């Protein structure tokens, strides 16, 4: 885990991304989809650092996917540091952020509350 890369604007975990050898995180300006990222553009226009700073509960852009939406909701409730702590603990305990491609243990949910509980507890 590269904790210093933190959480992307949309809620994805740059700190755990398999691309972080070539990308230095969403907030570095080096993210491959940076210029056209709907969530980044929206946050910039609203003068928010991250989607979790926004008062709206939208599902646009990457927030239409369970993982970034759940991570964003987790940070709204518990804060970014707790998310990073949980992700780090879970990784040490074998929870996988990415397998082949972009699918991992955090993607295997249909219910955001179940995902949030999994983040907190590291077990299903």
């Amino acid at each position: 885990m590269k904790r210093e890369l933190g959480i992307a604007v949309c809620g994805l975990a740059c700190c755990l991304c398999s691309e972080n050898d070539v990308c230095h995180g969403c907030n570095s300006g080096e993210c491959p989809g940076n210029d056209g990222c709907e969530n980044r553009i929206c946050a910039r226009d609203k003068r928010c650092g991250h989607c979790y700073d926004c008062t709206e509960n939208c599902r646009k852009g990457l927030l239409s996917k369970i993982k970034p939406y759940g991570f964003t909701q987790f940070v709204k409730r518990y804060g970014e540091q707790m998310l990073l702590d949980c992700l780090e603990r879970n990784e040490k305990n074998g929870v996988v952020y990415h397998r082949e491609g972009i699918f991992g243990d955090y993607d295997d949910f249909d219910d955001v509350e179940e995902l949030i509980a999994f983040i907190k507890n590291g077990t299903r």
Side-chain angles (χ1 to χ4, degrees):
M1 178 167 170
K2 292 186 177 180
R3 193 177 181 106
E4 67 276 9
L5 298 181
I7 303 300
V9 170
C10 66
L12 288 173
C14 294
C15 58
L16 292 173
C17 181
S18 60
E19 299 292 319
N20 66 24
D21 289 334
V22 294
C23 173
H24 296 100
C26 177
N27 297 317
S28 72
E30 297 177 16
C31 182
N34 196 25
D35 293 335
C37 176
E38 184 176 2
N39 298 102
R40 177 181 278 295
I41 293 166
C42 181
R44 182 195 63 218
D45 291 348
K46 291 181 178 182
R47 293 187 165 91
C48 294
H50 293 82
C51 292
Y52 58 71
D53 294 324
C54 184
T55 57
E56 293 181 32
N57 187 23
C58 78
R59 298 294 298 258
K60 71 172 87 170
L62 286 171
L63 294 177
S64 66
K65 299 181 183 300
I66 190 85
K67 181 168 50 181
Y69 181 74
F71 284 20
T72 295
Q73 294 304 306
F74 187 98
V75 174
K76 283 185 175 196
R77 293 180 196 177
Y78 306 109
E80 184 177 344
Q81 290 310 308
M82 185 166 173
L83 176 60
L84 290 170
D85 291 345
C86 290
L87 293 174
E88 187 169 30
R89 179 206 62 224
N90 291 348
E91 181 187 43
K92 288 177 182 174
N93 290 330
V95 174
V96 178
Y97 187 71
H98 287 314
R99 285 197 173 80
E100 291 182 28
I102 60 170
F103 192 82
D105 293 328
Y106 295 103
D107 297 288
D108 195 22
F109 289 88
D110 295 322
D111 181 82
V112 74
E113 294 304 320
E114 290 177 13
L115 172 58
I116 289 171
F118 179 70
I119 295 166
K120 278 182 76 174
N121 303 317
T123 58
R124 290 198 96 144

